């Protein structure tokens, strides 16, 4: 760690891991409620559990991305952060707001709009936190008078993310109009601004983990960003097929929705090209494993699983089924969750001096990845069952669910338990990183031996 202020990232990763564990816990409960609707119905209704599951996901990913930003900004600008006190103030503001949001959901305090359900008062506190973050990063850049490609893309993504949150606070009188702009917020977050942030952090980690020339990464970064913005904006049309918008969205959404996997594919090729044949002695291979895994899973979950459902003629049958859930789970996990974990595995040891156990980190990686893939494939099977029996054959929803879909969802729950097990293992592993423990990671092995053995 070159700059003391990089340590401002530390509490963001800690809280992100705690919220990740909470998200998975609530996910298990609502997965069980899919099969047994009466389970905990009076204590934790399905709608409330789902709110917590979705919003903790958004919150922990944001905290993780902000933490990664606070770590890389000093290195990219070659100067200390403008203010670590502001970073700390922002952390406590967002942390307490996040806790208040989750507790509020449990008592019915909600705005009720999917993914952005935080009540209006808490919305404003989140906006203040985001503005503090943007000011701190921008002031650091201006103070250093140094602007790199990675910094530019990252700041553009963070600014767009914050602006879209403001747009999302506007409620239009008509539900149809409101849904139209709500989709802009959600889609442009996930397939626009978040993609920019992911591309910038991926580029930074590639430079650090593989030693590739920054200029080479920057060239690909610009190409990827151009394609992300181009396809991300017009590709939003695939959400407009069946909500009363004009028919021209069918063609626009279908065409540009098909192009959306291209920038993701470029990112995968770019990542593999840089890691192929590289010397790994002394490299944090666990972080590299998570980074390469993120790029590939991103392409499969967001790209392939999305593109097979994007054509209007297919989407009219699959929209809102378990096929959508399969796509959403694998896409979010690959595109953002694995990237944040990769950043944590690289950055936290740099801050604390802890040594990463390749054995433990690799086992966690494979356990979580395989169980997440299993969940997505099972939901894919459930979705196909739904489409054929409910929408093509016209059988009753409840009959299909009780007789056929529940079979798939039971296996999804089993895979979910393995994923939760992996998550607990990850949290335990990360606690070792956060404490700077070397004993936990490599008992009886010196740092020199560890490096020499790779």
């Amino acid at each position: 760690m070159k700059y003391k202020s990089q340590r401002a990232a530390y509490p963001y990763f800690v809280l992100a891991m705690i919220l990740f564990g909470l998200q998975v816990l609530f996910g298990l409960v609502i997965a069980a409620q899919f099969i047994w609707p009466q389970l905990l119905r009076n204590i934790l209704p399905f709608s409330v559990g789902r709110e917590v599951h979705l919003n903790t996901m958004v919150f922990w990913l944001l905290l993780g991305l902000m933490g990664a930003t606070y770590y890389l900004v000093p290195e990219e600008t070659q100067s200390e952060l403008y203010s670590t006190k502001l970073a700390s103030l922002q952390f406590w503001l967002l942390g307490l707001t996040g806790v208040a949001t989750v507790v509020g959901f449990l008592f019915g305090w909600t705005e009720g709009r999917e993914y952005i359900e935080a009540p209006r008062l808490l919305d404003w506190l989140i906006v203040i936190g985001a503005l503090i973050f943007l000011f701190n990063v921008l002031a650091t850049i201006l103070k250093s008078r140094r602007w790199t490609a990675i910094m530019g893309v990252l700041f553009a993504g963070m600014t767009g993310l914050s602006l879209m949150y403001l747009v999302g606070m506007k409620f239009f009188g008509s539900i149809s109009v409101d849904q139209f702009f709500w989709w802009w917020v959600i889609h442009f977050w996930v397939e626009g601004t978040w993609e920019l942030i992911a591309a910038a952090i991926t580029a930074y980690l590639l430079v650090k983990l593989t030693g590739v020339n920054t200029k080479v990464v920057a060239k690909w970064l610009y190409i990827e960003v151009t394609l992300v913005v181009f396809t991300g904006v017009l590709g939003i049309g695939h959400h407009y097929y069946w909500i009363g918008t004009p028919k021209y969205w069918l063609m626009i959404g279908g065409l540009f929705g098909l192009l959306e996997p291209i920038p993701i594919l470029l990112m995968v090729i770019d990542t593999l090209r840089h890691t192929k044949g590289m010397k790994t002695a002394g490299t944090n291979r666990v972080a590299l494993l998570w980074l390469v895994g993120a790029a590939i899973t991103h392409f499969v979950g967001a790209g392939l699983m999305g593109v097979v459902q994007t054509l209007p003629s297919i989407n009219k049958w699959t929209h809102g089924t378990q096929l959508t859930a399969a796509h959403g789970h694998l896409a979010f996990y690959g595109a953002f969750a694995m990237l944040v974990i990769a950043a944590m595995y690289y950055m936290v040891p740099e801050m604390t001096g802890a040594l990463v156990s390749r054995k433990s980190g690799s086992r966690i990686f494979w356990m979580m990845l395989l169980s997440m893939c299993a969940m997505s494939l099972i939901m894919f099977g459930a979705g196909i069952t739904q489409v054929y029996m409910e929408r093509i054959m016209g059988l009753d929803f409840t009959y299909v669910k009780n007789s056929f879909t529940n079979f798939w969802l039971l296996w999804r729950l089993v895979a979910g338990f393995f994923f939760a097990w992996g998550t607990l293992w990850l949290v335990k592993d990360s606690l070792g990183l956060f404490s700077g423990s070397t004993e936990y990671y490599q008992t009886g092995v010196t740092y020199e031996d560890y490096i020499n053995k790779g």
Side-chain angles (χ1 to χ4, degrees):
M1 188 175 72
K2 293 181 180 178
Y3 302 92
K4 287 182 181 178
S5 58
Q6 286 178 288
R7 199 172 172 80
Y10 184 82
Y12 287 84
F13 285 120
V14 176
L15 186 55
M17 284 298 102
I18 294 171
L19 290 177
F20 182 32
L22 198 62
Q23 183 212 346
V24 173
L25 176 65
F26 276 84
L28 271 183
V29 173
I30 60 174
Q33 288 177 329
F34 257 113
I35 306 166
W36 304 289
Q38 303 302 320
L39 180 69
L40 300 175
R41 191 184 67 171
N42 296 325
I43 301 171
L44 183 70
F46 176 84
S47 58
V48 175
R50 189 169 182 273
E51 271 185 329
V52 177
H53 180 62
L54 292 179
N55 284 270
T56 47
M57 175 194 72
V58 173
F59 220 71
W60 85 259
L61 289 176
L62 280 177
L63 288 172
L65 294 172
M66 286 175 168
T69 303
Y70 273 137
Y71 183 88
L72 72 84
V73 164
E75 286 198 8
E76 287 295 304
T77 58
Q78 297 182 2
S79 72
E80 297 285 359
L81 275 179
Y82 174 77
S83 172
T84 52
K85 289 182 179 177
L86 278 180
S88 180
L89 172 67
Q90 176 207 335
F91 168 77
W92 285 107
L93 178 64
L94 290 180
L96 292 174
T97 304
V99 171
T101 303
V102 171
V103 174
F105 288 159
L106 298 177
F107 290 94
W109 192 28
T110 172
E111 198 170 273
R113 298 163 79 210
E114 197 175 12
Y115 293 102
I116 46 177
E117 284 121 325
R120 186 48 44 93
L121 173 63
L122 301 181
D123 271 339
W124 284 114
L125 294 178
I126 293 170
V127 168
I128 292 171
L131 290 176
I132 292 173
F133 172 75
L134 290 176
F135 172 78
N136 209 3
V137 173
L138 182 61
T140 307
I141 295 171
L142 294 177
K143 183 185 70 171
S144 68
R145 297 181 180 179
R146 181 178 166 80
W147 190 275
T148 64
I150 291 174
M151 263 322 309
V153 173
L154 182 63
F155 189 72
M158 284 295 185
T159 304
L161 185 152
S162 303
L163 289 176
M164 292 311 294
Y165 194 87
L166 279 173
V167 175
M169 290 170 62
K170 168 71 177 170
F171 181 74
F172 298 88
S174 162
I175 291 295
S176 298
V177 176
D178 190 69
Q179 281 290 292
F180 183 88
F181 287 105
W182 174 83
W183 267 122
W184 267 99
V185 174
I186 302 305
H187 184 102
F188 210 57
W189 259 1
V190 178
E191 297 178 48
T193 58
W194 284 42
E195 290 282 3
L196 295 184
I197 297 165
I201 293 175
T202 300
Y204 171 82
L205 291 174
L206 274 177
V207 171
K208 293 297 174 184
L209 291 169
T210 68
V212 65
N213 190 302
T214 307
K215 290 182 180 178
V216 176
V217 172
K219 180 188 70 178
W220 282 100
L221 188 59
Y222 284 133
I223 295 172
E224 288 165 7
V225 165
T226 304
L227 286 170
V228 163
V229 173
F230 186 60
T231 59
V233 171
L234 294 175
I236 195 174
H238 69 250
H239 291 296
Y240 288 163
Y241 296 155
W242 321 115
I243 60 172
T245 50
K247 284 187 178 178
Y248 55 74
W249 280 111
L250 294 176
M251 184 184 70
I252 295 173
L255 177 62
F256 288 95
L258 286 174
L259 295 176
E260 284 191 58
I262 292 176
I264 306 171
L265 179 61
L266 283 177
M267 191 177 291
V268 175
I269 294 171
D270 198 32
T271 305
L272 295 178
R273 193 168 64 88
H274 290 310
T275 54
K276 185 179 180 182
M278 62 171 285
K279 294 179 180 177
T280 55
T283 299
N284 184 333
R285 291 194 208 175
V286 174
L288 187 61
L289 180 65
W290 279 95
L291 183 65
V292 174
I296 296 173
T297 311
H298 186 177
F299 175 65
V300 175
L304 295 183
M305 279 187 141
V307 83
V308 296
Q309 304 175 57
T310 198
L311 286 176
S313 56
I314 297 174
N315 190 269
K316 72 177 180 180
W317 299 104
T318 64
H319 204 94
T321 65
Q322 290 290 330
L323 286 167
T324 312
H327 162 53
H329 276 73
L330 199 59
F332 264 102
Y333 184 64
F336 307 115
M338 293 179 78
L339 180 62
V340 169
I341 295 169
M344 181 194 74
Y345 266 116
Y346 170 71
M347 295 172 180
V348 174
E350 294 287 322
M351 288 185 273
T352 63
L355 297 180
V356 177
S357 166
R358 197 172 78 196
K359 187 177 177 182
S360 176
S362 300
R363 286 180 176 177
I364 294 169
F365 168 85
W366 286 112
M367 185 172 187
M368 293 182 70
L369 179 62
L370 292 177
S371 51
M372 176 54 76
C373 287
M375 275 198 289
S376 292
L377 287 174
I378 290 166
M379 284 188 279
F380 211 82
I384 291 172
T385 304
Q386 274 185 297
V387 169
Y388 182 71
M389 293 192 163
E390 286 176 28
R391 299 187 175 181
I392 296 178
M393 294 182 67
L395 296 178
D396 178 69
F397 170 83
T398 306
Y399 171 72
V400 173
K401 180 182 179 300
N402 291 337
S403 303
F404 302 99
T405 314
N406 276 356
F407 167 77
W408 293 96
L409 297 182
L410 184 61
W411 285 106
R412 190 267 299 267
L413 184 61
V414 173
F417 273 111
F418 280 99
F419 186 80
W421 185 1
T423 305
L424 286 175
W425 199 357
L426 173 71
V427 172
K428 181 186 173 188
D429 211 43
S430 59
L431 287 176
L433 297 179
F434 295 138
S435 67
S437 166
T438 55
E439 183 183 0
Y440 169 74
Y441 287 97
Q442 292 292 322
T443 304
V445 180
T446 65
Y447 182 77
E448 288 73 18
D449 288 340
Y450 173 71
I451 293 298
N452 290 334
K453 289 179 180 177

